[in-house]
Amino acid sequence: EFRLVFVQTDFEERANRLATRGEVKERLTQFDQHSTEKDVHSTLLSNADKVVDGNEPIDTVVFKICTWAKTLS
């Protein structure tokens, strides 16, 4: 069975994470303009089985998703 988890992360946090990988903020703006990204905040969010706050530390996000996924079995 398929489940959709939407990790909702604000622009600044996404930019900060990209910066740690050597990318620049402007690159994120380019990513957001891509046709596949335009549906992210509308279609995917409204169809998500679980929405997680992606502004939290990555370990916390992973823990929350894994904890939720264990309740499905």
Side-chain angles (χ1 to χ4, degrees):
E1 189 171 336
F2 176 82
R3 301 287 184 183
L4 176 62
V5 176
F6 187 89
V7 180
Q8 192 166 25
T9 310
D10 66 30
F11 183 87
E12 285 304 315
E13 182 62 29
R14 292 169 57 221
N16 290 337
R17 290 180 183 168
L18 277 176
T20 65
R21 298 179 190 136
E23 293 284 350
V24 293
K25 184 187 259 187
E26 292 75 24
R27 189 89 168 114
L28 182 55
T29 303
Q30 290 175 337
F31 293 152
D32 284 346
Q33 297 301 317
H34 194 276
S35 60
T36 58
E37 290 296 321
K38 293 184 179 184
D39 291 335
V40 167
H41 294 290
S42 57
T43 306
L44 293 181
L45 179 58
S46 65
N47 287 302
D49 296 296
K50 175 77 172 167
V51 178
V52 180
D53 182 0
N55 296 309
E56 296 183 308
I58 294 173
D59 290 346
T60 302
V61 173
V62 171
F63 176 78
K64 287 182 175 184
I65 294 169
C66 290
T67 301
W68 172 76
K70 287 178 185 176
T71 67
L72 301 175
S73 34

